Amino acid sequence: MGAPTLMKPQTDKTSLPASPFIFAAAVVGFSALYVQMHLAIFLLVLMLMFGLGLYASYSALKFFRHSFDGLRAGWSWALITLLTLSWSAWFYVPTTSLAEHVDAWLFQSHYQNEVAKISSNLPGNCGQTNGCYADDGKPVYVYFPYALHVPFSEHHGILYIADPAHAPEQARLDKISGMMKCQDQPLLKHFYACFITGYAG
């Protein structure tokens, strides 16, 4: 008699896919930082994220098909929920002020340094890559447009006001651009979200 054949235990070949989690993390990063992207980079990121989202959806549905009635059914529904929230956030969050809040928090030191240069009349005002617009009043108003500017859309940016006790005065904003509007509530101390629909010559 030959040696007995050992039976190998059956294993679940369908492992939990990582792509839905990567897609969700990418959506969070994009929603927080997209305003500082240049247009070409923005479009490239959009295409890459769309492809990643499609692949993540395919992976989640494939996992769901093999696991929806087994012990891993809870993970299946969790992945579907995660993807639904991620796709919704990808379309909705950029329409909110999240990116503006993150920008003001991350780059506040940079903005304050640029304002200090302007106030001291030093050369190289507003940096080498991103322009800024300022009036000659006191306290100083300095508007920093975001890098991303999609044609035919409003041009968004951050307004720095040296005196945080006062909301932006429209008469002062008109000197920077006759078509500038700002939010009444600050994003952060000294910083307001603003937009320009055109430039007054």
Side-chain angles (χ1 to χ4, degrees):
M1 296 180 61
T5 302
L6 297 177
M7 298 294 294
K8 294 183 178 180
Q10 292 184 351
T11 58
D12 187 359
K13 296 181 179 180
T14 306
S15 59
L16 187 68
S19 54
F21 300 96
I22 297 174
F23 178 58
V27 168
V28 172
F30 172 81
S31 299
L33 302 173
Y34 76 95
V35 294
Q36 288 293 353
M37 298 179 184
H38 290 282
L39 182 58
I41 298 175
F42 174 78
L43 295 176
L44 177 62
V45 170
L46 278 185
M47 291 188 292
L48 291 176
M49 285 188 59
F50 184 71
L52 176 60
L54 290 179
Y55 178 74
S57 300
Y58 168 78
S59 300
L61 290 174
K62 183 178 178 181
F63 180 84
F64 182 84
R65 183 168 62 89
H66 291 288
S67 307
F68 75 96
D69 59 350
L71 296 176
R72 309 180 76 177
W75 275 111
S76 297
W77 288 110
L79 287 180
I80 297 300
T81 302
L82 177 65
L83 279 170
T84 302
L85 293 175
S86 298
W87 280 110
S88 299
W90 190 45
F91 285 101
Y92 171 72
V93 176
T95 66
T96 69
S97 60
L98 172 65
E100 284 86 350
H101 281 88
V102 172
D103 183 272
W105 180 73
L106 286 179
F107 300 107
Q108 56 180 310
S109 297
H110 165 73
Y111 292 136
Q112 290 171 336
N113 290 336
E114 294 301 325
V115 171
K117 292 179 183 179
I118 296 170
S119 301
S120 303
N121 295 319
L122 295 177
N125 290 348
C126 300
Q128 301 296 319
T129 57
N130 293 327
C132 66
Y133 305 88
D135 71 347
D136 55 359
K138 297 294 181 181
V140 65
Y141 280 21
V142 185
Y143 174 72
F144 296 91
Y146 295 132
L148 177 63
H149 176 39
V150 180
F152 310 113
S153 69
E154 295 168 343
H155 196 169
H156 290 256
I158 282 185
L159 178 73
Y160 179 93
I161 300 180
D163 184 1
H166 296 89
E169 300 175 11
Q170 190 59 48
R172 298 271 311 270
L173 298 177
D174 291 342
K175 295 181 180 179
I176 300 176
S177 172
M179 305 181 74
M180 176 184 285
K181 301 294 180 182
C182 296
Q183 294 179 353
D184 294 331
Q185 299 299 319
L187 299 168
L188 196 65
K189 186 178 180 180
H190 299 288
F191 299 95
Y192 291 81
C194 301
F195 62 92
I196 298 175
T197 56
Y199 291 100

